Amino acid sequence: MIDLHIHTTTSDGSDEPIDILIKAQQLGLKCISITDHDSIGAYKKLKNTNILNHFKGKLIPGCEFSAVHNGKPIEILGYGIDIDIISSTGIVSDDKFYERENAYLKKMMDVCRNLNLKYSDNLSIKGKYFSTQILHADLRKYPENEKYFTKEIWESLNAFYRTCVNNPDSPFFLDQAKDYLTVQEAAALIKKAGGKSFLAHLYGYFVDDHEDFLNSIVSLNALDGIECYHSLHSMDKTKYLLNYCNEHRLYASGGSDYHGTLKPNVKMGESITNTKIPYDILKPWLPSNVT
């Protein structure tokens, strides 16, 4: 079993990096990758740690980069990256993250005030949580807000992010395109750092036609592969993506998108419930720079 999509406290996960290693060992995972959002902080925390004292498997250096395609924010996973090279670019700077997300949060709080939505006026970015996560959680503290949202948006952070924050017709729209890398730029950065780039969780994006959206990204000839196994992908969708990778000579990856308490139903080492992520998909492209 493997899990190549895991988050820690250096982005919006609840587990410390060393606790991820311990949990992976307990689960008998053969290979993992910590892929925090626009952050390599987990690897800096583990820099002086003897990984094998906690996890006997392979640890692939990774990161989940924010990108944009056709005006929609998406995520690109980079694996086998040189942490020092990524750090030297300044693209995953914590200062840049806080500046951007605090500006987003202020804009959305202004929207709430204009719409007479109830919200806490002392909101701020804490840890590496995104503005959307903080605002959505806060809005749900006040039951009187529920009538202003559809059931899906009210209950799902992903739906709020993908259909409101990413929707130009929504008052919550944020023009993130100017702040994010293009697919080509993200792939070039990952390649510069010696890694391989993969499109993350296709079916997590709210688009009219996922196949067309995927084809438009693949046609850029920038990425090395696709994340096929994921907690948002049914087995039918996983099989479709595995076949797609085979037909288009792309590599396949897979991960749970584990966040700890933020996503309590997502289990490390599994895509959907009781579906383990097989090591075999990693064999064709296993990076050489793994612990």
Side-chain angles (χ1 to χ4, degrees):
M1 292 187 297
I2 63 173
D3 195 333
L4 306 182
H5 196 155
I6 298 171
H7 294 274
T8 75
T9 52
T10 64
S11 65
D12 56 350
S14 63
D15 295 9
E16 286 292 334
I18 196 164
D19 294 324
I20 292 294
L21 299 179
I22 294 170
K23 188 169 291 188
Q25 178 64 26
Q26 292 171 341
L27 291 170
L29 299 186
K30 200 169 181 179
C31 186
I32 65 170
S33 183
I34 294 173
T35 53
D36 282 312
H37 295 286
D38 299 315
S39 173
I40 51 175
Y43 297 98
K44 292 182 178 180
K45 284 188 175 184
L46 294 172
K47 186 173 183 179
N48 297 317
T49 300
N50 187 333
I51 304 298
L52 292 176
N53 284 345
H54 307 283
F55 177 57
K56 305 300 182 185
K58 299 179 184 299
L59 175 62
I60 299 176
C63 182
E64 187 172 20
F65 295 93
S66 298
V68 64
H69 178 68
N70 288 350
K72 292 185 177 294
I74 63 172
E75 287 77 46
I76 304 297
L77 292 158
Y79 296 119
I81 54 176
D82 184 306
I83 298 302
D84 291 334
I85 292 177
I86 294 296
S87 180
S88 69
T89 67
I91 290 176
V92 294
S93 160
D94 284 352
D95 289 342
K96 184 180 293 185
F97 174 87
Y98 286 119
E99 180 181 357
R100 181 189 75 202
E101 292 303 316
N102 274 308
Y104 286 165
L105 183 58
K106 183 180 183 302
K107 287 181 180 180
M108 289 192 290
M109 290 170 68
D110 288 343
V111 170
C112 290
R113 184 174 62 256
N114 292 335
L115 295 177
N116 293 317
L117 291 169
K118 181 76 172 176
Y119 68 96
S120 304
D121 58 9
N122 61 344
L123 294 179
S124 63
I125 304 299
K126 298 176 181 178
K128 289 297 289 291
Y129 286 87
F130 289 92
S131 55
T132 304
Q133 294 170 319
I134 290 173
L135 183 70
H136 186 258
D138 188 71
L139 289 173
R140 283 169 49 83
K141 291 179 181 177
Y142 305 100
E144 57 266 42
N145 289 332
E146 184 173 359
K147 63 185 177 183
Y148 295 103
F149 299 93
T150 66
K151 179 179 174 61
E152 183 180 23
I153 292 172
W154 179 253
E155 295 181 351
S156 169
L157 168 64
N158 191 51
F160 177 67
Y161 177 64
R162 303 294 179 187
T163 65
C164 293
V165 177
N166 295 171
N167 180 3
D169 297 325
S170 168
F172 286 101
F173 174 69
L174 296 174
D175 184 10
Q176 300 169 88
K178 66 183 188 311
D179 298 318
Y180 288 168
L181 302 170
T182 65
V183 172
Q184 297 98 319
E185 289 170 340
L189 171 64
I190 292 165
K191 185 176 181 179
K192 178 182 178 181
K196 290 182 171 58
S197 54
F198 290 72
L199 174 67
H201 44 59
L202 171 67
Y203 295 101
Y205 308 127
F206 282 70
V207 296
D208 293 332
D209 189 315
H210 284 99
E211 185 175 359
D212 283 350
F213 192 64
L214 176 60
N215 286 335
S216 69
I217 295 173
V218 171
S219 69
L220 300 173
N221 295 314
L223 301 181
D224 297 293
I226 299 169
E227 183 177 44
C228 300
Y229 290 85
H230 186 270
S231 49
L232 292 175
H233 296 181
S234 67
M235 273 313 300
D236 284 343
K237 290 174 179 175
T238 296
K239 290 176 181 176
Y240 169 79
L241 290 175
L242 289 170
N243 288 332
Y244 188 97
C245 286
N246 186 52
E247 292 172 0
H248 292 79
R249 297 184 179 182
L250 294 166
Y251 294 125
S253 74
S256 62
D257 207 352
Y258 177 81
H259 281 71
T261 56
L262 185 67
K263 296 182 178 181
N265 295 325
V266 175
K267 297 180 180 180
M268 194 187 303
E270 296 185 1
S271 53
I272 55 176
T273 304
N274 296 323
T275 299
K276 310 300 182 185
I277 305 164
Y279 180 77
D280 285 350
I281 64 169
L282 175 59
K283 287 181 179 179
W285 62 271
L286 179 65
S288 58
N289 61 335
V290 297
T291 303

